[in-house]
Amino acid sequence: MSRQHKQIHLAAHFPGVNNTTVWTVPPAGPTTTPGRCASRNPALGSQIDFASFEHLARTAERGLFDFFFLAEGLRLREHNGRIHDLDVVGRPESITVLNALAAVTERLGLAATVNATFNEPYELARRLASLDHLSGGRAAWNVVTSSDAFTGENFRRGGFLDRADRYTRAAEFVATARELWDSWPPDGTPRPFAHTGRHFTIDGEFGVERSPQGHPVVIQAGDSDEGREFAASAADIIFTRHGSLEAGRAFYADVKRRLARYGRAPEELKIMPGVTLVLGDTAADAREKAAEIRLQQVSPQTALLTLEQIWGVDLSGYDPDGPLPDIDPDPDSQLAQGRVRHGDPLAVAAKWRALSEEKGLSIRQTVIEASGRQSFIGTPEAVAAQLAEFVAADAADGFILVPHLTPGGLDDFVERVVPLLQERGVFRTAYTGTTLRDHLGLPYPGERG
């Protein structure tokens, strides 16, 4: 008997407003200079036009993907006291968009990013259960947290939490939502709920009958130790990122090892890193396309903007084709607000300086090389082989594809790579279930243990 190949799970991420997205729909009005703040943006039509969401979702379903994934933005980011130009298009609310997509898709899972710091369990549990009903059991919740007081200013109580409290509130939030969903059991007779905890004290009756999945699928995004532990205790999927096979295997082993302390089996948590890809007819063609994409993504102005987010000071007087600044970053800067700062600015600047000096790179070239997100570059055959290798080697259970092109960025992958994965026997040739839990091979509530 031939050995059963480990199956690959695939999801599609609508990339939204960021400087890695190349929009294919022309603007409806005046455009901005890339990387600077203004009143219009080429993304305007695509970002809010339902046709963009529909195209990407229908493509993902044609490719038999597990789910379609939307990000969230709760406040327009600012840079140097002005709205960041990539945010002037706005940030649509994800569950609203997914409710509409439920009507134009049949099997594709629908995942909404919703912040556990700035919402309340009853209200969100009701919205997610409603989406699960409307979609026939395809809803998912990507749980994110925030310790950002700038974003919290948009909310009644300020929304601010100390960093140490973010995950404790999120863990109680998820547990409380599950209590609400379970208060309406399969027999259709609701019972009162009562929850008393550190962050929430609520009681009453839940207003939505048990949905097809019982609980919508829970996704957790994050690579920190707290995030890994939270995922092991409460999530069905962890959305992560790692750039090499070795790093992926180490992350995979670490997170899967944590599951046992919560009485969970390894297959009950799917590890799905976010990845990008560039396809070409030859390896050289793919590399040339990848280089051109990075030039589109990182204009001279965007290079300076990216550097300012690390240095925390105005660098508009610097030449993007010149060397990196010889000044140190301001670690306490408020120049960029509403944007996550990854790591210690001083350490990041030192790393970038070393890279620049070693290879003789300009500001723009350094940003391109240091912030590159292209994970798989090559022919369709080579990319299919790499994806299969990562999953077979237990570096991932699947991938969340983040296309650089919107809304048509998945078209080539679905047409040229998916058939090759199917030929390898590592990807489905048809949906065999109706719910997202079916697609992912996840247990339904009550089946654990």
Side-chain angles (χ1 to χ4, degrees):
M1 180 180 293
S2 61
R3 180 178 177 270
Q4 178 69 38
H5 294 291
K6 185 179 176 184
Q7 296 297 290
I8 295 175
H9 294 284
L10 292 175
H13 184 276
F14 188 88
V17 286
N18 57 67
N19 67 333
T20 62
T21 306
V22 180
W23 296 86
T24 57
V25 177
T31 64
T32 70
T33 301
R36 288 293 161 190
C37 306
S39 60
R40 298 287 289 182
N41 185 278
L44 180 58
S46 296
Q47 172 64 15
I48 198 65
D49 188 345
F50 181 68
S52 296
F53 299 103
E54 183 179 8
H55 179 95
L56 200 63
R58 285 186 181 273
T59 303
E61 186 163 73
R62 187 171 74 251
L64 304 174
F65 281 38
D66 292 276
F67 60 93
F68 176 83
F69 184 28
L70 284 179
E72 177 188 63
L74 293 180
R75 179 163 181 175
L76 300 182
R77 297 166 294 185
E78 292 182 5
H79 188 85
N80 206 15
R82 294 176 294 173
I83 301 299
H84 191 286
D85 72 332
L86 295 171
D87 274 15
V88 298
V89 299
R91 306 296 295 270
E93 196 278 319
S94 57
I95 295 182
T96 301
V97 175
L98 295 178
N99 281 327
L101 287 176
V104 297
T105 55
E106 295 180 357
R107 298 291 185 91
L108 185 69
L110 303 168
T113 301
V114 186
N115 200 298
T117 305
F118 304 121
N119 288 280
E120 297 297 323
Y122 183 91
E123 188 266 346
L124 181 55
R126 186 170 62 121
R127 291 165 61 207
L128 288 167
S130 298
L131 174 60
D132 208 44
H133 277 292
L134 290 173
S135 64
R138 297 185 280 137
W141 171 24
N142 178 39
V143 184
V144 294
T145 65
S146 177
S147 59
D148 177 15
F150 172 75
T151 299
E153 290 172 359
N154 271 355
F155 295 86
R156 176 175 55 81
R157 58 180 175 79
F160 175 73
L161 281 178
D162 289 333
R163 186 176 184 87
D165 291 332
R166 290 188 305 159
Y167 282 111
T168 59
R169 188 181 201 273
E172 186 178 342
F173 196 122
V174 173
T176 306
R178 285 176 168 152
E179 289 175 27
L180 297 175
W181 293 325
D182 284 339
S183 72
W184 203 308
D187 66 10
T189 305
R191 58 176 180 262
F193 66 83
H195 174 91
T196 300
R198 175 182 173 188
H199 295 280
F200 311 107
T201 299
I202 58 175
D203 62 83
E205 292 183 353
F206 192 53
V208 182
E209 66 178 286
R210 194 170 186 84
S211 68
Q213 293 187 111
H215 300 168
V217 169
V218 171
I219 306 169
Q220 191 273 330
D223 289 347
S224 67
D225 187 71
E226 298 98 324
R228 297 182 192 201
E229 199 67 23
F230 177 49
S233 67
D236 300 301
I237 301 169
I238 183 167
F239 176 35
T240 180
R241 59 184 301 175
H242 42 70
S244 68
L245 183 68
E246 294 74 18
R249 293 187 69 183
F251 180 90
Y252 190 99
D254 176 63
V255 173
K256 295 281 187 173
R257 188 165 47 238
R258 298 173 188 240
L259 291 165
R261 73 186 67 168
Y262 300 102
R264 304 180 66 193
E267 62 272 15
E268 291 184 41
L269 175 66
K270 307 300 181 186
I271 297 176
M272 300 181 67
V275 300
T276 61
L277 54 94
V278 180
L279 301 177
D281 293 331
T282 65
D285 178 41
R287 288 193 297 270
E288 184 178 339
K289 285 183 179 179
E292 178 60 30
I293 289 167
R294 291 301 287 147
L295 285 174
Q296 293 181 62
Q297 292 172 328
V298 185
S299 68
Q301 296 86 356
T302 296
L304 287 177
L305 186 73
T306 302
L307 214 65
E308 287 177 349
Q309 290 163 3
I310 296 170
W311 259 256
V313 296
D314 187 337
L315 301 174
S316 57
Y318 283 77
D319 180 1
D321 293 319
L324 266 64
D326 57 3
I327 59 175
D328 287 331
D330 176 4
D332 300 317
S333 171
Q334 296 297 310
L335 184 77
Q337 298 200 79
R339 182 182 289 273
V340 177
R341 298 184 75 178
H342 296 284
D344 175 10
L346 292 170
V348 174
K351 181 179 178 181
W352 283 28
R353 278 204 188 101
L355 175 66
S356 176
E357 292 170 3
E358 176 189 354
K359 298 189 175 183
L361 303 178
S362 67
I363 288 175
R364 187 184 184 195
Q365 291 168 332
T366 301
V367 172
I368 287 174
E369 180 146 344
S371 62
R373 295 179 56 193
Q374 291 153 340
S375 309
F376 298 102
I377 301 171
T379 64
E381 293 79 8
V383 169
Q386 286 180 296
L387 296 174
E389 179 187 13
F390 266 66
V391 172
D394 287 340
D397 291 309
F399 307 92
I400 297 175
L401 304 188
V402 186
H404 70 275
L405 197 65
T406 299
L410 280 183
D411 295 3
D412 276 356
F413 182 88
V414 168
E415 292 167 9
R416 305 181 68 187
V417 179
V418 166
L420 298 175
L421 296 175
Q422 292 169 332
E423 288 176 13
R424 287 174 169 269
V426 296
F427 190 64
R428 63 172 66 92
T429 56
Y431 288 115
T432 56
T434 60
T435 72
L436 180 53
R437 287 185 179 276
D438 293 337
H439 304 340
L440 292 164
L442 293 171
Y444 283 71
E447 293 179 351
R448 281 195 172 94

